[in-house]
Amino acid sequence: MWLFLGITFSLGMLIPGNLSFRLQYNGDQVLHIVPETLQQVQHLQHLCNTLMLDLWKPLLPEDISAGADLNIRVPAPLVQEVKNSLDQHMISYKVLIPDVQDLVDQSMPRETNSHRQVPEGYVYTHYHPMEEIYQWMIQIEKNNSELVTRHYLGKTIENRTIYYLQISQSPNKPKKIIWMDCGIHAREWISPAFCQWFVKEILQNYKSDPKISRFLENWHIYVLPVFNIDGYIYSWEKDRLWRKNRAPYKNGTCHGTDLNRNFNSSWGSVGVSYNCSSEIFCGSGPESEPETRALVHFIKQRKRDIVCYLTMHSYGQYILTPYGSTTEPPSNSEELIHVAEKAAAALMGKYGTRYEVGSTSLILYSNSGSSRDWAHMIGIPFSYTFELRDKGAYGFVLPPEQIQPTCEETMLAVTAIMDYIDQKYFPDGAVMLTSGSLSLSLCLGVVLAWSVS
């Protein structure tokens, strides 16, 4: 019954260029709770299960624990009932977001598409719908043809094309690879915003920054700005808080798989749901989704060359290492933590933002089927998940004024990881010779020696 009470539609909220109606969250509140006792934990679990409240952190009622943060979105018609229940059980709470719709409105562009100049004058401090991101990718390639090429990765469940960008000097030369993807969860808009910012910073600064110039000489950098394209579009056009892809299940009565629980890394073992209406539904099987299969196929073909896998998410301010399904650390755990700590220190140096570093299962919650764990399990040595700003004051509806500081500090963290890896693989700063370039060098050496003699 709460679904009918909590979901309202506004006839006045037409989407620019689209006749669909956008879901409203007027009066919905996000509450922050830190349960103190087992009895409080059990009552909160009961509330979440019976009222089907939207858990933001953690994602499952069974992961609620004493002394740990709990953030829940409560639909407007249930706010007073939930607060009364918390008061009766002497559970303290704080209102993090008094009206979710206010923040949703702030994140949406005020201009219609016809007035937004895209991609000329592209504004990196705004969130952009998928149509504009597609245009941006085309223009980025056109304007930087010496460094950037756009490539086909695959198709989504709704038959949209997934593209990634390759950035490097000598793009056809065999090199090691650094991979970054964004937007695996539709509602985490700060993630695609960062991928675009990252590309902008690389292209603007590679001529003046010796470090970035060295990265492009030594590496191919692959960037996938939006992985979950169908879900991202749905979050713009219908439901700002949509998380999953748009795969239909049960004859279309429910939709969507959590793509970050769909990889074949202890798939379905922990921190998932088999209910297709759940936010963390893991799919009908490992790699059941075309988006997942496209990425898996691509990575497997290049896994010998991919040294670093980065996947950008929100929120919580974490740099997470494998694994999420077990507390047993990977063989290079100490190095992974060391590098992540260097990244967190670099990030904090900008605005003082603190990120927690560690294994997902130890510092956040257990989950299985993640792309981070899968990438490490198939042999990619450095694999990290970034959970970007913030700690919960805005959560999944981070306002646009947070884009620039978030991206600036995250850029420092990512380049710290890249710098460590670059120095590890190229300790003398030299570009690794391929067999072809080595043969050419030997030939030149023979010619020079002959001419001198």
Side-chain angles (χ1 to χ4, degrees):
M1 183 65 181
W2 74 271
L3 282 171
F4 297 100
L5 294 172
I7 298 175
T8 59
F9 292 89
S10 169
L11 295 179
M13 279 295 291
L14 288 177
I15 313 238
N18 191 313
L19 296 179
S20 303
F21 296 104
R22 187 183 295 136
L23 199 63
Q24 298 290 286
Y25 298 96
N26 296 299
D28 289 15
Q29 295 190 349
V30 176
L31 306 182
H32 172 68
I33 303 165
V34 182
E36 298 175 354
T37 66
L38 177 60
Q39 290 75 19
Q40 290 183 353
V41 167
Q42 291 172 338
H43 180 68
L44 289 165
Q45 290 172 336
H46 174 73
L47 270 182
C48 291
N49 282 321
T50 56
L51 297 179
M52 297 178 66
L53 302 179
D54 182 12
L55 275 165
W56 282 17
K57 181 182 178 182
L59 295 173
L60 282 172
E62 50 263 42
D63 288 330
I64 299 172
S65 59
D69 291 337
L70 166 65
N71 295 342
I72 51 175
R73 179 179 64 85
V74 184
L78 298 175
V79 166
Q80 198 55 53
E81 177 185 347
V82 169
K83 288 181 177 178
N84 290 341
S85 181
L86 295 176
D87 290 338
Q88 289 170 9
H89 288 80
M90 301 183 69
I91 300 174
S92 299
Y93 64 87
K94 175 184 176 182
V95 178
L96 281 181
I97 303 176
D99 191 331
V100 172
Q101 189 60 43
D102 284 346
L103 285 180
V104 170
D105 291 341
Q106 289 178 39
S107 67
M108 304 300 292
R110 294 178 181 176
E111 308 93 336
T112 63
N113 286 345
S114 61
H115 293 98
R116 287 160 68 88
Q117 296 184 4
V118 179
E120 295 297 331
Y122 200 80
V123 180
Y124 290 88
T125 53
H126 290 174
Y127 294 118
H128 291 272
M130 195 64 222
E131 180 183 351
E132 295 181 4
I133 296 174
Y134 274 136
Q135 293 177 32
W136 169 82
M137 294 178 77
I138 292 169
Q139 197 67 33
I140 281 288
E141 180 184 36
K142 180 180 178 181
N143 292 347
N144 303 274
S145 56
E146 75 283 3
L147 291 177
V148 180
T149 49
R150 183 176 59 112
H151 298 276
Y152 172 89
L153 183 76
K155 292 282 190 176
T156 69
I157 192 72
E158 294 182 338
N159 204 36
R160 294 185 175 95
T161 304
I162 307 171
Y163 293 109
Y164 68 93
L165 298 176
Q166 176 183 331
I167 312 171
S168 70
Q169 294 179 336
S170 305
N172 296 320
K173 181 178 180 180
K175 297 180 186 180
K176 295 294 185 181
I177 297 167
I178 294 171
W179 170 272
M180 179 191 299
D181 61 53
C182 294
I184 197 169
H185 291 141
R187 63 191 177 187
E188 299 169 10
W189 286 9
I190 188 60
S191 170
F194 174 72
C195 258
Q196 294 168 81
W197 184 281
F198 174 83
V199 171
K200 168 186 74 77
E201 288 293 300
I202 292 291
L203 297 177
Q204 284 183 354
N205 297 311
Y206 80 96
K207 290 182 180 179
S208 58
D209 187 329
K211 184 184 296 184
I212 293 177
S213 178
R214 191 176 73 245
F215 294 161
L216 298 187
E217 290 175 2
N218 292 346
W219 302 87
H220 293 314
I221 302 172
Y222 292 162
V223 180
L224 174 58
V226 185
F227 183 13
N228 179 10
I229 293 173
D230 296 342
Y232 185 72
I233 291 173
Y234 195 80
S235 74
W236 275 82
E237 296 184 351
K238 296 293 183 77
D239 181 354
R240 173 64 181 84
L241 296 179
W242 187 260
R243 170 185 172 90
K244 304 178 288 180
N245 78 346
R246 292 294 299 162
Y249 284 90
K250 291 187 177 179
N251 296 320
T253 57
C254 63
H255 284 78
T257 293
D258 180 351
L259 296 178
N260 203 42
R261 282 164 171 75
N262 191 236
F263 288 80
N264 196 10
S265 52
S266 303
W267 177 87
S269 62
V270 65
V272 301
S273 173
Y274 294 102
N275 179 356
C276 63
S277 64
S278 169
E279 297 284 14
I280 52 174
F281 174 57
C282 58
S284 58
E287 301 172 18
S288 62
E289 308 308 307
E291 297 92 342
T292 311
R293 291 195 299 272
L295 183 59
V296 165
H297 177 73
F298 176 87
I299 297 291
K300 278 185 173 180
Q301 285 187 320
R302 298 159 178 83
K303 68 178 183 179
R304 291 184 179 179
D305 294 321
I306 300 175
V307 174
C308 181
Y309 180 93
L310 303 174
T311 181
M312 316 306 290
H313 294 247
S314 74
Y315 65 93
Q317 296 174 196
Y318 297 96
I319 304 177
L320 302 171
T321 63
Y323 292 106
S325 57
T326 174
T327 56
E328 182 179 346
S331 58
N332 64 334
S333 177
E334 288 187 9
E335 186 178 27
L336 284 168
I337 295 292
H338 170 68
V339 176
E341 287 175 343
K342 288 173 70 72
L347 185 152
M348 188 171 67
K350 184 67 177 179
Y351 294 110
T353 309
R354 293 183 179 274
Y355 272 53
E356 193 172 352
V357 169
S359 168
T360 311
S361 58
L362 295 178
I363 68 170
L364 188 54
Y365 47 68
S366 295
N367 72 327
S368 56
S370 74
S371 63
R372 171 204 60 247
D373 288 357
W374 174 81
H376 195 274
M377 287 172 64
I378 66 166
I380 297 172
F382 295 92
S383 181
Y384 296 101
T385 296
F386 275 73
E387 298 282 358
L388 303 179
R389 288 194 188 189
D390 61 358
K391 296 293 285 183
Y394 301 113
F396 298 120
V397 280
L398 196 72
E401 59 263 26
Q402 292 277 328
I403 295 175
Q404 181 167 340
T406 302
C407 291
E408 287 177 343
E409 65 191 11
T410 309
M411 189 74 192
L412 294 174
V414 170
T415 52
I417 293 173
M418 292 170 64
D419 190 45
Y420 177 90
I421 295 169
D422 185 65
Q423 299 209 30
K424 177 178 177 129
Y425 283 80
F426 306 102
D428 299 323
V431 180
M432 184 181 295
L433 290 175
T434 64
S435 58
S437 60
L438 180 59
S439 299
L440 178 61
S441 298
L442 290 172
C443 290
L444 287 173
V446 170
V447 170
L448 288 171
W450 179 82
S451 62
V452 169
S453 62

